[in-house]
Amino acid sequence: MKNVKKIQLGHDGPFVSKLGLGCMRMSSIWGGPTPDETESMATIHVALDNGINFLNTGDFYGAGHNEMLIGKAIKGRRDDAFISVKFGAIFHNGQWLGLDLRPIAIKNFVNYSLTRLGIETIDLYQPSRMDGSVPVEDIIGTVADLVKEGKVRYIGVSEITADQLRKANTVHPISTLEIGYSLAERGIENDLLPVAKELGIGVVAFANTAEGLLTGEMKAPLAVNDYRSHFSRFQGDNLIHNLVKVEVLKQLANDQGYTPTQVAIAWVNAQGDHIMPLVSMSRRSRLPENIAAMDIVFTPEEINTLNTTFATGAIQGGTYLQR
């Protein structure tokens, strides 16, 4: 493996790895078993060794377990890691209850995160999404106060609209927009991505394989106990239709000696120098394949095939999972 290249997040923002490591799968978030901690920590260590310094977590991942895991993994290597933390989501026994974005809650959340991570400053801090219950100005203004206090370095946002992004950026410079983006999920290309580019905001793109749809390994029908079976994209005729599209991806990948997952990641990577594929991993064996995907260069014909096959609206049904 070799070190991945760096990108800058926002105007005058930090330089971080072009490939981000999503740490969510290293903890139990939907009530399942906790993955092997030794392997998860080894994955973080190997990622850091190969220049992947952007570690993405949420204070609600495993009820704080994810932050504590990262804290252990970066002990003695703080300068090698750039820590991105989402806040605001409220869970109980693995069940989503809603959001708490009140300023008083944010000030509480950040101190717990700092303690669990064992650090003095969070590199990137961001609300996990907006729900309209608290004005954007109050949320970003509170995080801006944390920047002044030295508890946060940079501010990001996640799961918001183009108008909210503009509003947030007027309160304090926004470094990143974290959002789901893939061949199967391209709706943000119409308004949100152009605004982010206009404002010079880096894009941290999660769900590059659309919850496994683009891995080429999914079969219809899904098992009843598969969490994805609750979403219309993976149900009945929708799934059958969508898997036909995936066959084109599989063929293109096979012709070039890649995996479908690599092509899916590479397509996101190719959408701009300001866009970072954020790939969730909990096993170090996944790292070589994902790092190699960052070196894939498509021909104009291949890009046209992918963009035509997976044009906006080509994938039927929807899904939503907070990373």
Side-chain angles (χ1 to χ4, degrees), residues 112-262:
Y112 279 83
S113 288
L114 290 168
T115 298
R116 287 189 290 253
L117 289 163
I119 60 180
E120 295 181 354
T121 306
I122 294 171
D123 297 307
L124 181 70
Y125 203 49
Q126 57 189 330
S128 58
R129 71 178 82 161
M130 305 287 189
D131 65 354
S133 63
V134 179
V136 172
E137 295 88 343
D138 291 352
I139 298 168
I140 302 303
T142 301
V143 183
D145 289 340
L146 298 177
V147 172
K148 294 175 183 176
E149 292 179 27
K151 294 184 176 182
V152 171
R153 287 196 176 94
Y154 301 98
I155 301 177
V157 292
S158 178
E159 303 295 334
I160 68 173
T161 67
D163 288 343
Q164 289 172 332
L165 181 58
R166 287 189 185 279
K167 189 175 294 184
N169 198 61
T170 63
V171 178
H172 187 278
I174 300 299
S175 296
T176 62
L177 162 68
E178 184 177 326
I179 197 79
Y181 187 41
S182 70
L183 279 165
E185 198 73 63
R186 301 181 61 181
I188 63 172
E189 293 177 345
N190 296 327
D191 54 2
L192 194 52
L193 280 188
V195 170
K197 188 170 185 178
E198 172 196 333
L199 298 176
I201 295 171
V203 177
V204 178
F206 65 75
N208 301 162
T209 65
E211 300 303 328
L213 176 64
L214 304 178
T215 63
E217 300 174 359
M218 187 173 286
K219 307 292 182 184
L222 295 184
V224 176
N225 62 349
D226 190 317
Y227 72 88
R228 295 169 296 188
S229 64
H230 296 289
F231 301 94
S232 60
R233 175 171 296 169
F234 303 109
Q235 295 173 352
D237 291 342
N238 282 348
L239 181 56
I240 294 172
H241 168 89
N242 295 337
L243 289 178
V244 170
K245 299 289 185 182
V246 174
E247 286 300 314
V248 176
L249 173 67
K250 290 170 65 177
Q251 186 62 55
L252 188 152
N254 184 67
D255 290 346
Q256 299 301 326
Y258 306 132
T259 66
T261 294
Q262 286 180 308

Side-chain angles (χ1 to χ4, degrees), residues 274-285:
H274 64 301
I275 296 179
M276 171 201 295
L278 177 67
V279 182
S280 292
M281 291 172 271
S282 61
R283 291 175 286 116
R284 65 192 122 168
S285 60

